[in-house]
Amino acid sequence: MTSTNEQPDTAAPFDPGRPGPGPGPGPGSDPDRDPDRDPGLGPGPDPDPDAGPGTVELRRVMPASGGPGTRLRVVLLCSDDPLHTYLRTLLAARLDLVATVLEPGDAQRRRQRRKRRHYDLAARRYQEWRSRITGRSRRRARFFDRLAEGLPPVGSPCHTVESVNDRSARELVAELAPELTVVCGTMILGRRLLTSTPGVIVNLHGGWLPEYRGNHGYYFAYKAGDWERVGATLHLVVPTLDTGPVLARVRPETRPRDTDERLSARAGQLAALRLVELALAYEQGTTLTAVPQPDRGTTYRHRDRTPTGELLLWLRRRAGRHRVPVRPAYRDGGT
């Protein structure tokens, strides 16, 4: 998911009979638009011929106490990256966000230290240090603060926990009984939390699946010049990491001076907007199509993004040997 987490994706049992979000219209294309607020859309990669059988269609089962106009109950499990704060504000403005369970980055680092995962912790610390020194942290915060301008303040509670797998967090989510649980930026969910969470669980993954699983999907696609797959994925969660049926993929607009970090922010925005579109349409009873992933791709960790690799990429960019093409934004899925 995001670079604030050791392993940003989650795992949860998936039952095709459960309700899930549905498709909706996407942002339009306007020659006078602000591309950071209203991403234009263009053609994407060709349909995947290896997806195979097993496509899942999900339709909301209306609560017994309400009809088609009944609001969709949503719970957000997230960390404290600026994207997560923006996503919380957006969900609260557009949907019935009943609560947020926040697992701070500091708590995630403490858990790594207790488990003596020193290599992983050092790699994570390096990324945080690099982000501060280069100003990436400030730019990312400004980007998402700007997107949240004009949105109403969040009225639902935010519960800060040491771990989303704590008993208190499990009991809270079960008591809230969400129809949709959105996950973005937490550590891996434990099996007890997965089995006790009702409804559908959707992960906002910072990478194009199945090719870029794990951490830093934007960076590794950018580094490889795989411009069609510098994007984010919305997928249903299953017991294995980043392998659940895909609801939608998005790819941000690319421009010649873009870095992977600029593309990461724009893709996060586009994925958040797409998630809200799907949830709003599902709220009205629209059927969602989830497509199984082919069995391929690479799983990356923080440790795979090394200072040497970043230096070589920077030198290629400075020498004009790593050119970013001009491409429109793109989204798929959910129909």
Side-chain angles (χ1 to χ4, degrees), residues 153-211:
V154 180
S156 59
C158 180
H159 304 270
T160 301
V161 297
E162 188 69 13
S163 168
V164 292
N165 294 308
D166 287 347
R167 180 178 178 180
S168 59
R170 298 197 308 269
E171 292 178 347
L172 173 64
V173 174
E175 179 182 353
L176 292 170
E179 295 177 78
L180 171 64
T181 299
V182 176
V183 185
C184 185
T186 70
M187 301 288 270
I188 293 178
L189 304 188
R191 188 163 294 275
R192 283 184 290 183
L193 175 60
L194 304 176
T195 56
S196 65
T197 300
V200 159
I201 306 175
V202 175
N203 186 38
L204 194 164
H205 170 69
W208 189 281
L209 296 179
E211 282 77 12

Side-chain angles (χ1 to χ4, degrees), residues 31-92:
D32 299 321
R33 77 185 192 285
D34 177 342
D36 285 336
R37 287 181 177 268
D38 180 16
L41 300 176
D46 292 332
D48 194 331
D50 300 322
T55 297
V56 178
E57 290 189 345
L58 302 176
R59 190 178 184 88
R60 184 187 186 193
V61 177
M62 293 296 176
S65 59
T70 304
R71 298 297 305 279
L72 180 71
R73 292 176 60 81
V74 181
V75 167
L76 173 64
L77 309 181
C78 66
S79 188
D80 50 6
D81 182 83
L83 166 61
H84 309 152
T85 304
Y86 165 67
L87 178 60
R88 179 177 182 238
T89 305
L90 186 64
L91 289 171

Side-chain angles (χ1 to χ4, degrees), residues 88-110:
R88 179 177 182 238
T89 305
L90 186 64
L91 289 171
R94 302 287 186 257
L95 297 158
D96 183 17
L97 180 67
V98 295
T100 300
V101 178
L102 176 68
E103 181 188 71
D106 285 345
Q108 296 174 3
R109 288 186 288 273
R110 285 193 293 271

Side-chain angles (χ1 to χ4, degrees), residues 22-305:
S29 179
D30 184 336
D32 299 321
R33 77 185 192 285
D34 177 342
D36 285 336
R37 287 181 177 268
D38 180 16
L41 300 176
D46 292 332
D48 194 331
D50 300 322
T55 297
V56 178
E57 290 189 345
L58 302 176
R59 190 178 184 88
R60 184 187 186 193
V61 177
M62 293 296 176
S65 59
T70 304
R71 298 297 305 279
L72 180 71
R73 292 176 60 81
V74 181
V75 167
L76 173 64
L77 309 181
C78 66
S79 188
D80 50 6
D81 182 83
L83 166 61
H84 309 152
T85 304
Y86 165 67
L87 178 60
R88 179 177 182 238
T89 305
L90 186 64
L91 289 171
R94 302 287 186 257
L95 297 158
D96 183 17
L97 180 67
V98 295
T100 300
V101 178
L102 176 68
E103 181 188 71
D106 285 345
Q108 296 174 3
R109 288 186 288 273
R110 285 193 293 271
R111 190 152 60 256
Q112 286 180 315
R113 191 177 298 110
R114 287 196 300 270
K115 293 182 177 180
R116 298 185 178 182
R117 302 177 67 172
H118 301 304
Y119 193 2
D120 293 321
L121 181 59
R124 179 171 177 158
R125 285 293 194 185
Y126 158 70
Q127 291 299 331
E128 294 168 352
W129 173 83
R130 180 188 59 82
S131 295
R132 288 196 299 270
I133 294 298
T134 61
R136 181 253 186 186
S137 297
R138 294 188 299 274
R139 291 192 296 271
R140 185 173 178 85
R142 286 198 301 267
F143 178 88
F144 286 108
D145 286 347
R146 177 171 172 264
L147 292 177
E149 290 176 0
L151 294 176
V154 180
S156 59
C158 180
H159 304 270
T160 301
V161 297
E162 188 69 13
S163 168
V164 292
N165 294 308
D166 287 347
R167 180 178 178 180
S168 59
R170 298 197 308 269
E171 292 178 347
L172 173 64
V173 174
E175 179 182 353
L176 292 170
E179 295 177 78
L180 171 64
T181 299
V182 176
V183 185
C184 185
T186 70
M187 301 288 270
I188 293 178
L189 304 188
R191 188 163 294 275
R192 283 184 290 183
L193 175 60
L194 304 176
T195 56
S196 65
T197 300
V200 159
I201 306 175
V202 175
N203 186 38
L204 194 164
H205 170 69
W208 189 281
L209 296 179
E211 282 77 12
Y212 297 94
R213 297 187 171 115
N215 299 103
H216 301 288
Y218 306 112
Y219 166 77
F220 288 105
Y222 180 92
K223 182 181 178 183
D226 191 359
W227 307 116
E228 288 192 340
R229 296 180 177 84
V230 180
T233 305
L234 301 172
H235 69 92
L236 306 176
V237 286
V238 297
T240 50
L241 181 68
D242 291 342
T243 60
V246 171
L247 303 175
R249 298 182 187 89
V250 297
R251 184 187 66 214
E253 180 179 2
T254 58
R255 312 164 195 165
R257 297 178 64 85
D258 278 337
T259 63
D260 66 286
E261 291 168 343
R262 291 176 183 171
L263 296 177
S264 167
R266 293 207 294 270
Q269 176 219 356
L270 196 57
L273 292 173
R274 185 63 172 138
L275 173 64
V276 170
E277 292 171 351
L278 296 174
L280 285 172
Y282 162 63
E283 187 175 66
Q284 300 302 314
T286 305
T287 299
L288 169 71
T289 300
V291 180
Q293 295 185 43
D295 185 16
R296 63 167 186 258
T298 302
T299 299
Y300 297 95
R301 297 288 184 259
H302 282 306
R303 65 180 68 180
D304 298 319
R305 184 171 179 173

